[in-house]
Amino acid sequence: MIPFSVLDLSPIAEGSTAADALRNSLAYARQAERLGFTRFWLAEHHGMPGIASAATSVVIGHVAGGTQTIRVGSGGIMLPNHSPLVIAEQFGTLASLYPGRIDLGLGRAPGTDQVTARALRRDMPGSLASADNFPEDVRELQSYFEEVQPGQAIRAVPGAGLHVPIWLLGSSLFSAQLAASLGLPFAFASHFAPAFLMEALELYRSDFRPSKQLGHPYAMAALNVIAADTDAEARRNFASLQQAFTNLHRGTPGKIPPPIDDIDSFWSPAEKFAASRVLLYSVVGSPATVERGIQAFLRITAADELIIAANIYDHAARMHSLEIVADVRKKLAAEEGKPEAVPQVSP
């Protein structure tokens, strides 16, 4: 059975604070570790009232320091917002503190609105140079994790020689093609950007060139999984994510709202269509429903690894959802006739 991993945004629920969300993320990561998940990734977003993981490297250190074995990383760091040297130093520090457990996933989008992006960019306000230079910035970042060469003027300390695993993340074809050309593992954000999933995976696999880091294509796909004891309970919990995406599209992002019984009373038909399209790759339901949904998703993607997202309002419900997913994985592994233990995977 392929590895299962977790993507977390440190969701801030209505009536709670960022401090609550960060404490919950650590508890969630410990749960993922206990249940045998391979990775626990956090994502960089800025100016979002419902997401507490903006200082992603800091949160990764918080989670890695509170766990023992699970790999912890970024899904991802939005590289256009940062100097490659700064990211090399940050992740070199994390890799020095937690050897063999840190992943560096990189994205090309700013992870925020354009006004906030201008405040983040290291270039002149409004410049698109950082995003346009993404391939060069990735290569520069890679070089900082190599051994220091004679006469090298700029080095990452710590960072040099640590070979921190780099992943490329994407929601279109651009990063798939770049990951293939650089021989890097690739993760697709199909949990909120489903349109190009299959085309991106095909392009990545067909164009892949082996590298020092990776000898063969390795693709991870993201899936929203909201699991509960019954289909009805899971659908009710899913309503929080549906509301959150609708609020974002309305231009009124906020904290994660509590679930409601009648989602159709909340949105218009057009909003329902838009949210359903964005959240196409979502598996919502009881253990049996989740098992069928995950099987179907893995069948169509042939992913080497599955990473699940679960923005659920109630922390206890989110923890229980993860338990159900872990049980589903055990069942699928048993049906394959393979050991249930998660393989040691570090592309």
Side-chain angles (χ1 to χ4, degrees):
M1 190 62 204
I2 68 168
F4 280 23
S5 294
V6 175
L7 175 64
D8 183 38
L9 303 181
S10 292
I12 307 173
E14 287 185 11
S16 69
T17 66
D20 296 323
L22 294 170
R23 282 192 293 269
N24 288 343
S25 283
L26 179 54
Y28 194 46
R30 287 171 172 164
Q31 171 94 322
E33 181 174 76
R34 180 180 65 82
L35 294 172
F37 287 82
T38 298
R39 306 175 206 278
F40 190 91
W41 279 6
L42 295 130
E44 177 185 347
H45 293 274
H46 299 279
M48 302 293 288
I51 297 175
S53 56
T56 315
S57 301
V58 177
V59 185
I60 289 171
H62 169 64
V63 170
T67 53
Q68 299 296 321
T69 58
I70 194 168
R71 296 190 67 90
V72 187
S74 58
I77 290 292
M78 301 297 107
L79 191 54
N81 297 336
H82 310 280
S83 157
L85 178 59
V86 169
I87 297 302
E89 291 172 340
Q90 289 177 0
F91 278 78
T93 300
L94 289 167
S96 298
L97 290 168
Y98 312 106
R101 295 182 55 208
I102 300 299
D103 297 322
L104 174 51
L106 301 172
R108 181 170 172 258
T112 188
D113 59 83
Q114 290 302 310
V115 174
T116 306
R118 292 191 189 98
L120 288 164
R121 297 282 170 103
R122 58 194 171 109
D123 297 308
M124 292 296 292
S127 171
L128 295 178
S130 291
D132 292 342
N133 291 339
F134 182 67
E136 290 74 20
D137 284 349
V138 171
R139 294 185 183 94
E140 180 183 342
L141 181 52
Q142 284 182 299
S143 73
Y144 292 133
F145 292 130
E146 300 291 337
E147 283 73 15
V148 175
Q149 300 299 311
Q152 182 175 331
I154 303 172
R155 63 185 66 184
V157 182
L162 294 182
H163 305 283
V164 176
I166 291 177
W167 292 65
L168 291 192
L169 283 54
S171 57
S172 65
L173 303 183
F174 181 91
S175 289
Q177 189 170 25
L178 182 60
S181 67
L182 295 178
L184 295 175
F186 175 60
F188 194 87
S190 34
H191 62 303
F192 73 86
F196 294 102
L197 170 62
M198 301 309 299
E199 190 175 354
L201 292 177
E202 181 179 357
L203 177 64
Y204 170 68
R205 289 164 176 154
S206 64
D207 289 4
F208 183 84
R209 300 175 186 173
S211 67
K212 288 188 292 183
Q213 179 175 332
L214 191 63
H216 55 83
Y218 193 93
M220 174 192 286
L223 178 69
N224 294 301
V225 181
I226 312 294
D229 292 333
T230 67
D231 285 345
E233 183 182 358
R235 285 195 296 268
R236 187 174 189 276
N237 288 335
F238 186 47
S240 293
L241 183 58
Q242 292 171 316
Q243 292 175 81
F245 265 97
T246 301
N247 287 334
L248 181 63
H249 290 154
R250 289 175 178 174
T252 57
K255 295 183 177 181
I256 306 301
I260 54 178
D261 293 318
D262 182 13
I263 186 64
D264 284 331
S265 67
F266 172 78
W267 54 20
S268 69
E271 289 173 333
K272 178 179 180 179
F273 175 79
S276 299
R277 184 171 58 180
V278 168
L279 299 173
L280 174 65
Y281 291 120
S282 299
V283 174
V284 181
S286 65
T289 300
V290 167
E291 180 183 348
R292 291 192 298 269
I294 288 177
Q295 279 184 313
F297 184 73
L298 295 180
R299 186 167 53 249
I300 65 170
T301 61
D304 299 293
E305 188 167 335
L306 176 68
I307 189 165
I308 66 163
N311 272 8
I312 298 174
Y313 172 80
D314 181 72
H315 177 62
R318 192 161 76 125
M319 298 281 273
H320 184 49
S321 179
L322 198 64
E323 288 180 338
I324 292 173
V325 175
D327 288 342
V328 166
R329 187 190 178 279
K330 288 180 181 179
K331 186 175 180 181
L332 294 176
E335 290 172 355
E336 284 188 0
K338 296 180 180 179
E340 293 180 0
V342 175
Q344 295 299 311
V345 178
S346 180

